[in-house]
């Protein structure tokens, strides 16, 4: 029997992912900084589905180029509808995709919050990329960027 799971970006619809699960809790911590700062947040993925063939759900299958192109067009449409004052992207793929869209808005690119990008975080932070260090850096940096737009 095959199963399909439908969820939100970074599994934010699951309380345990927001509050307990070590590898996704930091995502919500970073989003919470924006919410506490009074910013409205529209959270979306570049690629609208994530396919995995392993039972633990962490080994992804690459999408074909046709689907990737479709999802990028959907992302462009979302951004045209919402007209955000800024787009914040996490990770190389999202950063490059948003950059290639040639938006007429501010784009702030960060490493992906996951442990897989800890090398990039270590370089950016100049110290250990702990959850606390990532959140503190994010709070200082992103709020500074957004306050400059006001």
């Amino acid at each position: 029997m095959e199963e399909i799971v439908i969820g939100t970006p970074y599994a934010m619809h699951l309380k345990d992912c927001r509050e307990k699960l070590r590898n996704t809790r930091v995502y919500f911590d970073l989003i919470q900084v924006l919410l506490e700062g009074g910013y409205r947040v529209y959270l979306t993925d570049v690629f609208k589905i994530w396919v995995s063939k392993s039972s633990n759900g962490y080994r992804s299958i690459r999408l074909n180029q046709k689907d990737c192109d479709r999802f990028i067009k959907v992302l462009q449409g979302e951004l045209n509808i919402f007209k955000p004052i800024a787009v914040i992207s996490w990770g190389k793929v999202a950063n490059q995709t948003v950059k290639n869209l040639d938006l007429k808005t501010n784009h702030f690119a960060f490493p992906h919050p996951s442990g897989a990008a800890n090398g990039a975080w270590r370089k950016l932070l100049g110290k250990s990329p702990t959850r606390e260090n990532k959140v503190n850096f994010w709070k200082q940096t992103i709020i500074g960027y957004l306050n400059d737009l006001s």
Side-chain angles (χ1 to χ4, degrees), residues 64-76:
N64 64 47
Q65 192 59 49
K66 186 176 180 179
D67 286 335
C68 289
D69 292 342
R70 286 178 179 160
F71 292 142
I72 291 168
K73 284 182 183 178
V74 170
L75 175 64
Q76 179 72 61

Side-chain angles (χ1 to χ4, degrees), residues 51-104:
V51 182
S52 172
K53 63 179 166 184
S54 71
S55 61
N56 70 7
Y58 292 111
R59 188 161 176 245
S60 68
I61 299 172
R62 288 186 78 75
L63 297 173
N64 64 47
Q65 192 59 49
K66 186 176 180 179
D67 286 335
C68 289
D69 292 342
R70 286 178 179 160
F71 292 142
I72 291 168
K73 284 182 183 178
V74 170
L75 175 64
Q76 179 72 61
E78 290 173 331
L79 296 172
N80 288 337
I81 290 168
F82 289 104
K83 297 180 183 11
I85 62 164
V87 173
I88 302 164
S89 56
W90 289 341
K92 290 178 186 177
V93 172
N95 295 340
Q96 191 59 51
T97 300
V98 171
K99 182 178 177 184
N100 290 342
L101 291 176
D102 194 30
L103 299 173
K104 304 298 185 236

Side-chain angles (χ1 to χ4, degrees), residues 9 16 20 32-33 59 73 79 81 114:
D16 281 353
K20 295 179 184 175
Q32 191 66 30
V33 167
R59 188 161 176 245
K73 284 182 183 178
L79 296 172
I81 290 168
S114 74

